[in-house]
Amino acid sequence: DAIAYGLEAPYAVEFHDRLPSTNDQARERAATGVSDRLVVAGEQTGGRGRLDRTWDSPPGGVYASLLLAPGRPTAHAPVFTLAAAVAVTRACRAAGVDAVIKWPNDVLLAGSERKLAGVLTEMEGESDRVAWLIVGIGANVDVAGATLPEGATSVRAAGGDTDRRRFCQRVVETFHGLDPDAVLSAWREHAVTLGRVVRVETPGGTVEGEAVDIEFPGALVVRTDDGERVVHAGDCEHLRPA
Ligand code: BT5
């Protein structure tokens, strides 16, 4: 598999031509006490998004899950989603595709709402520390636009460099090289959500207003008619420029 050849990472890397889900594979590794492991697959047969949604995972995409060492505060988990989104955005840009971040976990083609990539962070806590933390990345790299779901696009469809090994290498290097203190400012630099009027469906109801900032570990600050709301999770829709 082209993606497998010569990838260098500060973690052990395992490659599979095909897996149900790299996140699930990483989870199985975690159960045997492994950590600091990157699991990469050439395609997935059961790729997952958030909230029981599916992630279409045809050959040519990049499907990678990073199993991080235990012990971090569970409350910090969302910052790894932001860091992964920054890493994927920069990898897209290095491949010649103008990508931007939509809160919380989408990477879009700039000037459109078409999705290039998504991030799925999962964890389990023991009291307030993570027992395992998995950051899963799905990116449409060398995938023809026609094989993707509606609203999706790919590096290939956008005319970028389709070398998956190079793409994956850049994601890993950027993610690893991002100083935790630098994640929020890097995210702000690439985000398209800030300065928009958004509607966020949260577990506690709908929040609508101008997205004004991001707060550690990854909460969106929304200025509503009733004052500022700090939104920790949800699905975000961009309505219009503020
Ligand atoms: C995500 O979920 O965006 C997270 C996707 C994470 C996938 C990676 S692949 C490696 C690792 N192993 C896994 O099993 N998962 C991770 P969410 O925000 O819930 O978005 C899901 C929605 O995106 C779907 O309901 C579709 O509308 C859309 N979608 C599905 N497949 C897509 C694709 N390939 N490209 C763009 N959009 C897609």
Side-chain angles (χ1 to χ4, degrees):
D1 191 299
I3 204 174
Y5 182 71
L7 185 70
E8 284 175 34
Y11 333 93
V13 184
E14 60 173 83
F15 298 97
H16 302 263
D17 288 338
R18 172 197 277 184
L19 279 178
S21 156
T22 56
N23 266 37
D24 293 347
Q25 178 77 12
R27 174 82 188 82
E28 277 176 34
R29 294 289 182 248
T32 64
V34 166
S35 72
D36 291 316
R37 168 82 51 111
L38 182 69
V39 179
V40 184
E43 63 181 297
Q44 296 183 124
T45 52
R48 296 186 290 108
R50 294 176 301 147
L51 310 167
D52 287 332
R53 293 191 283 240
T54 60
W55 185 256
D56 289 26
S57 309
V62 167
Y63 312 104
S65 296
L66 187 51
L67 170 58
L68 297 172
R72 294 178 167 81
T74 51
H76 292 186
V79 85
F80 295 97
T81 299
L82 303 192
V86 168
V88 172
T89 300
R90 290 190 175 162
C92 287
R93 291 183 177 190
V97 173
D98 193 6
V100 291
I101 304 173
K102 177 185 177 191
W103 184 87
N105 70 326
D106 289 354
V107 176
L108 308 178
L109 181 63
S112 82
E113 288 281 314
R114 295 166 78 89
K115 191 158 163 174
L116 284 161
V119 178
L120 176 66
T121 299
E122 296 179 301
M123 62 150 189
E124 193 169 273
E126 265 161 24
S127 69
D128 60 347
R129 300 278 151 177
V130 301
W132 52 266
L133 175 66
I134 294 166
V135 184
I137 291 164
N140 305 322
V141 179
D142 192 8
V143 182
T147 62
L148 289 169
E150 199 158 299
T153 189
S154 65
V155 170
R156 179 161 146 195
D161 172 10
T162 57
D163 186 314
R164 286 178 297 151
R165 190 200 57 78
R166 215 156 32 223
F167 188 94
C168 205
Q169 183 73 55
R170 284 174 172 143
V171 170
V172 167
E173 276 170 13
T174 306
F175 184 90
H176 188 70
L178 261 182
D179 187 310
D181 298 331
V183 173
L184 290 193
S185 55
W187 190 92
R188 284 188 194 99
E189 207 180 293
H190 299 312
V192 75
T193 302
L194 302 180
R196 300 271 179 120
V197 176
V198 298
R199 179 187 297 137
V200 189
E201 301 298 341
T202 79
T206 305
V207 177
E208 200 170 306
E210 181 189 349
V212 289
D213 201 10
I214 186 95
E215 245 180 47
F216 187 85
L220 193 66
V221 182
V222 182
R223 189 180 295 145
T224 73
D225 291 342
D226 310 321
E228 279 191 359
R229 292 276 303 273
V230 178
V231 182
H232 291 276
D235 277 315
C236 174
E237 192 187 341
H238 294 152
L239 299 179
R240 57 182 181 277

